[in-house]
Amino acid sequence: MHTRRSVRRPAPALAALLLAAALALTGCSAGDDASGGSNSAADHGADDKAVSGEAAPGGTGSSSGAKATAPPKLAASHIIRTASLTVQVKDVPKALEQARTGTENAGGYIGNETTTRDAEGHERTRVVLRVPVEKYDEVLAELEGTGKLLDRSAKAEDVTDQVVDVESRITTQRASVARIRELMDRATKLSDVVTLEGELSTRQADLESLLARQKSLKDRTSLATITLSLSETPVKKAAKDDDPGFVDALAGGWNAFVTMLRWLAVAFGAVLPFAAVAALIVLLWLRVVRPRLPRRPAPAPAASALGPLPTARPAPESAQPPAPGERD
């Protein structure tokens, strides 16, 4: 009995020792798993930041991180640039030739050109220049230096949305035209062919309109428009004496007299039609209407209360002087 008890007593102690060892191993593995899990989470977080373009704090950064932090490329923009310049120069033809040379050297060309001359002989030229957008600022600065800048205005209009919209609509319209042509190839009835031909012509017209708009936008965005106005420097005149003299008074009186005659002529011209109509009416009245009117009878002699008034008696013949033939 004593021997059997000595054999059974070490069993609980061994079991306790194995349990403690198992717990220790379990704790170590749990610690390793926790640390590994945190490291993997940190790695995932770093990867997410690298993908989104953010650098991990405290990290030195790698080549992939450098690529992730690089700024994204901007989409190509389409901008219409226009400018208007008014420059005063001493010699307009020379300044115009200089502007033409600078524009052609920049790869542009001359558009519309208008030259006028005022009453004093001063020449003025207005020319439209089309230059590449890359040379826009350079040409503009060169034109400003040709003389005295009097006025400048510049405008930039972003039409990127319009360009993208037109390109998308062109792609869709081309696909639509292709589908109509496929249906025409498969059509067997004449009515279907006629209907499809009408639809095809309509869609092709829409496609051509879109292509023309695309071409116009491309031209306006690739070439800037500069409107240049050149005017000669006015000649300075000698200052005149402010005190009027006899000649000035005579000139002023003559101008007043001529002005008065002009106004009288204007008034006469305005009244003349009415006077002509009035004269015609009076003439018709005197020559046509009045002779046809019935004449009024002569009035009877007036009678007084004592009777009719005596009438005048004719003079006796003896009282009359003899005729020249009867004197003899």
Side-chain angles (χ1 to χ4, degrees):
M1 294 294 294
H2 182 72
T3 304
R4 291 176 65 184
R5 289 179 181 176
S6 60
V7 173
R8 291 179 180 177
R9 284 178 182 177
L14 181 59
L17 181 61
L18 292 176
L19 181 60
L23 292 175
L25 292 176
T26 305
C28 293
S29 62
D32 294 339
D33 294 338
S35 60
S38 62
N39 292 335
S40 62
D43 294 339
H44 286 298
D47 294 339
D48 294 339
K49 290 182 179 180
V51 171
S52 61
E54 298 178 358
T60 58
S62 60
S63 61
S64 61
K67 292 181 181 179
T69 56
K73 293 183 179 180
L74 297 177
S77 58
H78 301 271
I79 299 176
I80 299 176
R81 298 186 181 274
T82 56
S84 177
L85 295 177
T86 302
V87 183
Q88 195 175 40
V89 296
K90 295 182 179 180
D91 190 354
V92 171
K94 182 178 179 180
L96 180 61
E97 184 64 25
Q98 182 178 354
R100 183 181 288 107
T101 303
T103 302
E104 292 176 354
N105 292 338
Y109 64 92
I110 305 295
N112 299 330
E113 180 180 343
T114 305
T115 301
T116 58
R117 190 180 297 272
D118 57 11
E120 299 179 356
H122 298 155
E123 189 174 351
R124 181 180 180 87
T125 299
R126 182 178 181 273
V127 62
V128 178
L129 311 176
R130 302 298 306 279
V131 297
V133 177
E134 298 79 10
K135 301 289 184 178
Y136 169 74
D137 296 330
E138 180 181 349
V139 174
L140 200 61
E142 182 179 353
L143 294 176
E144 292 178 2
T146 55
K148 181 181 178 181
L149 181 63
L150 300 180
D151 182 44
R152 171 183 173 176
S153 61
K155 181 181 178 181
E157 181 183 0
D158 190 356
V159 292
T160 305
D161 296 339
Q162 299 182 24
V163 172
V164 174
D165 178 66
V166 169
E167 291 178 353
S168 176
R169 293 174 62 183
I170 287 175
T171 303
T172 304
Q173 198 68 19
R174 283 177 174 170
S176 178
V177 170
R179 286 195 300 269
I180 294 297
R181 288 178 176 174
E182 291 179 358
L183 292 176
M184 288 183 62
D185 295 338
R186 299 176 183 176
T188 56
K189 296 182 179 180
L190 181 60
S191 58
D192 295 341
V193 173
V194 172
T195 304
L196 291 173
E197 284 182 351
E199 187 68 22
L200 179 62
S201 61
T202 301
R203 299 192 182 189
Q204 282 182 342
D206 295 340
L207 178 59
E208 292 176 358
S209 177
L210 291 173
L211 291 174
R213 185 179 178 186
Q214 184 187 38
K215 183 179 179 181
S216 176
L217 288 172
K218 183 178 180 180
D219 178 72
R220 295 168 63 190
T221 54
S222 60
L223 294 175
T225 303
I226 301 176
T227 304
L228 177 64
S229 299
L230 299 173
S231 61
E232 290 184 351
T233 304
V235 180
K236 295 183 179 180
K237 298 181 179 179
K240 294 183 178 180
D241 189 6
D242 296 335
D243 298 333
F246 175 77
V247 178
D248 296 333
L250 182 61
W254 176 256
N255 292 333
F257 178 71
V258 172
T259 303
M260 182 189 67
L261 291 179
R262 185 183 297 111
W263 282 110
L264 288 176
V266 172
F268 178 74
V271 175
L272 184 59
F274 300 96
V277 173
L280 181 61
I281 294 174
V282 172
L283 182 62
L284 291 175
W285 171 263
L286 295 176
R287 296 297 180 87
V288 178
V289 179
R290 187 176 180 181
R292 296 182 180 181
L293 294 176
R295 295 184 179 183
R296 296 180 180 179
S304 62
L306 299 178
L309 295 175
T311 59
R313 295 180 179 180
E317 296 180 357
S318 60
Q320 295 180 355
E326 296 179 354
R327 289 182 182 180
D328 298 336

